[in-house]
Amino acid sequence: EAGVAQSPRYKIIEKRQSVAFWCNPISGHATLYWYQQILGQGPKLLIQFQNNGVVDDSQLPKDRFSAERLKGVDSTLKIQPAKLEDSAVYLCASGPIQGWQTQYFGPGTRLLVL
Amino acid sequence: AQSVTQLDSQVPVFEEAPVELRCNYSSSVSVYLFWYVQYPNQGLQLLLKYLSGSTLVKGINGFEAEFNKSQTSFHLRKPSVHISDTAEYFCAVSSYSGGGADGLTFGKGTHLIIQP
């Protein structure tokens, strides 16, 4: 079974630029999550999707971050414009309906904002 | 609201010695508890989870954890560590709110350093 795929793996941009990350969850997984992991901290949930609907985006900085999950499969997370403090690893995770308590994580996208 | 406290940011241990990584949580609802491991430049891998039932949970790579409801703790243990166990360990909690599993709330992590 293929795992959660994310791209790109690394991205370097300057502040005020825009950037987008892509996530392909495990086939059949209905729930998809985006987390932000700042260096030295645990991951923090940004947004949770159930199929193509948003379940929780209470911690998403909506003035600059946006996310979508078209057709309930792949998802993209966008930052526009980026700030220095957005430098972090962005992790995508997915979960099945059965065994829903367990989330499976992708390798992450490491973002550096200069 | 939920929170997780990992009491040690760094734990140095000699190879083949036992180790315990401490985790305390707070929540107003029933929670599910997890330990994840993160090797350098990799994503998070599930070590073990407590959903219900027996409070002693066994996971991969010889790790186990015990859920203690009265002390709101979920400490991770291994009787004998190996160099390959060097990694960052995260304790996390989740609950259910009808829309599927809630997103995980993580602790800040404990860096396990194995010394030869």
Side-chain angles (χ1 to χ4, degrees):
Chain A
E1 175 181 83
V4 177
Q6 290 187 247
S7 67
R9 292 295 310 275
Y10 305 92
K11 190 75 178 178
I12 301 175
I13 62 173
E14 296 193 348
K15 60 184 180 183
R16 291 188 288 273
Q17 285 187 323
S18 63
V19 64
F21 313 128
W22 174 81
C23 173
N24 180 232
I26 293 172
S27 177
H29 280 192
T31 312
L32 186 146
Y33 310 81
W34 282 101
Y35 291 84
Q36 179 192 57
Q37 185 178 16
I38 293 173
L39 187 65
Q41 298 182 21
K44 182 185 82 171
L45 179 70
L46 292 176
I47 189 167
Q48 175 185 349
F49 292 94
Q50 177 87 352
N51 296 310
N52 61 348
V54 175
V55 173
D56 180 4
D57 63 357
S58 58
Q59 299 190 89
L60 187 73
K62 298 180 187 63
D63 57 334
R64 298 183 301 105
F65 285 66
S66 65
E68 61 182 7
R69 192 183 183 197
L70 298 176
K71 301 180 182 178
V73 182
D74 294 4
S75 177
T76 56
L77 176 70
K78 296 178 182 177
I79 308 175
Q80 182 178 11
K83 293 185 175 182
L84 297 177
E85 58 262 36
D86 298 331
S87 293
V89 177
Y90 291 85
L91 295 164
C92 178
S94 69
I97 292 294
Q98 284 191 326
W100 50 265
Q101 302 93 339
T102 301
Q103 297 177 26
Y104 299 84
F105 284 80
T109 295
R110 188 176 299 270
L111 173 67
L112 178 61
V113 182
L114 302 175
Chain B
Q2 301 165 148
S3 67
V4 176
T5 301
Q6 291 184 243
L7 297 160
D8 306 296
S9 60
Q10 196 167 281
V11 173
V13 181
F14 286 106
E15 195 172 14
E16 297 183 6
V19 68
E20 178 179 81
L21 305 184
R22 297 180 293 169
C23 172
N24 288 88
Y25 70 93
S26 68
S27 176
S28 57
V29 298
S30 295
V31 295
Y32 306 104
L33 295 156
F34 306 81
W35 276 97
Y36 281 85
V37 61
Q38 187 173 38
Y39 299 103
N41 297 317
Q42 294 187 28
L44 292 158
Q45 180 182 3
L46 180 66
L47 271 180
L48 48 78
K49 60 187 176 185
Y50 171 79
L51 305 180
S52 65
S54 173
T55 57
L56 182 63
V57 180
K58 294 192 182 296
I60 63 171
N61 301 341
F63 284 94
E64 64 180 31
E66 185 154 20
F67 170 57
N68 188 317
K69 189 174 183 179
S70 63
Q71 296 188 2
T72 61
S73 67
F74 190 55
H75 300 332
L76 180 70
R77 302 188 191 99
K78 186 170 182 178
S80 177
V81 296
H82 189 264
I83 288 286
S84 59
D85 293 324
T86 297
E88 194 79 19
Y89 291 79
F90 292 96
C91 181
V93 301
S94 176
S95 58
Y96 179 79
S97 61
D102 286 348
L104 293 163
T105 298
F106 285 87
K108 291 187 175 182
T110 297
H111 189 195
L112 179 60
I113 301 167
I114 310 301
Q115 302 167 324

